[in-house]
Amino acid sequence: VQLQASGGGLVQAGGSLRLSCTASGDTSSTYTMSWFRQAPGKERELVAARDWSGGSTTYANSVKGRFTISRDNTAKAVYLQMNSLKPEDTAVYYCAATTRRYNTGSRYNPKLYDYWGQGTQVTVSS
C-alpha cells in the first residue's frame, strides 16, 4: 500500500486548508486511516483517525471542532478539512494506515501504523 499526501501550504491564522491522502495498492488490508503531524523538535502526534468502514473517528483535543476527517472509499482517499487554523497547527502532516483494528487509545501510537505517506507541510502565519 502506498499513501500520497497533498494539500499543504501557507495560510494565515483563521484560514482553512484541505489535505488529501490517496491510497494505492491492496487497500483491503488496511483498517484505520489517520492523520499525524510533527512540528520541529516535537514528537509525532495523532490529529485525526477514522476507519475505512466508517463510524468511529478520533480527534486530538487540540483540533476538535476545527478539523474534520472524512473518507471516500471509491477513490481510496481520506481527507482532513482544517478550519480556523492557528500558528500552533504548523507542522508536517502525514497520513498513515493500520492493517489491524485497535481500540481508540491505541490509535494515538504511531508505532502501530504500517504504512505512511511522505508528509505535506502546513504553515500557519500569525
Side-chain angles (χ1 to χ4, degrees):
V1 175
Q2 294 80 44
L3 303 177
Q4 180 73 37
S6 62
L10 173 64
V11 64
Q12 290 187 333
S16 299
L17 281 175
R18 186 189 191 219
L19 304 183
S20 299
C21 177
T22 302
S24 59
D26 184 11
T27 58
S28 65
S29 64
T30 59
Y31 194 87
T32 298
M33 295 292 294
S34 299
W35 286 97
F36 282 80
R37 67 186 181 187
Q38 188 166 20
K42 295 188 177 181
E43 294 184 351
R44 192 167 296 191
E45 63 173 357
L46 179 75
V47 177
R50 80 174 297 161
D51 299 336
W52 278 120
S53 62
S56 177
T57 57
T58 301
Y59 292 96
N61 288 334
S62 59
V63 306
K64 284 181 180 178
R66 300 188 298 122
F67 291 11
T68 303
I69 187 170
S70 61
R71 78 194 191 285
D72 182 335
N73 289 23
T74 300
K76 297 183 181 180
V78 175
Y79 308 101
L80 186 68
Q81 178 66 43
M82 305 186 294
N83 298 328
S84 302
L85 283 161
K86 304 175 181 180
E88 51 263 43
D89 294 318
T90 295
V92 177
Y93 284 70
Y94 300 90
C95 58
T98 69
T99 56
R100 298 180 65 180
R101 182 177 185 178
Y102 296 105
N103 59 31
T104 299
S106 295
R107 288 178 167 182
Y108 291 86
N109 186 353
K111 295 181 180 180
L112 298 180
Y113 286 76
D114 303 285
Y115 303 106
W116 290 87
Q118 83 287 7
T120 185
Q121 176 71 47
V122 172
T123 303
V124 184
S125 62
S126 57

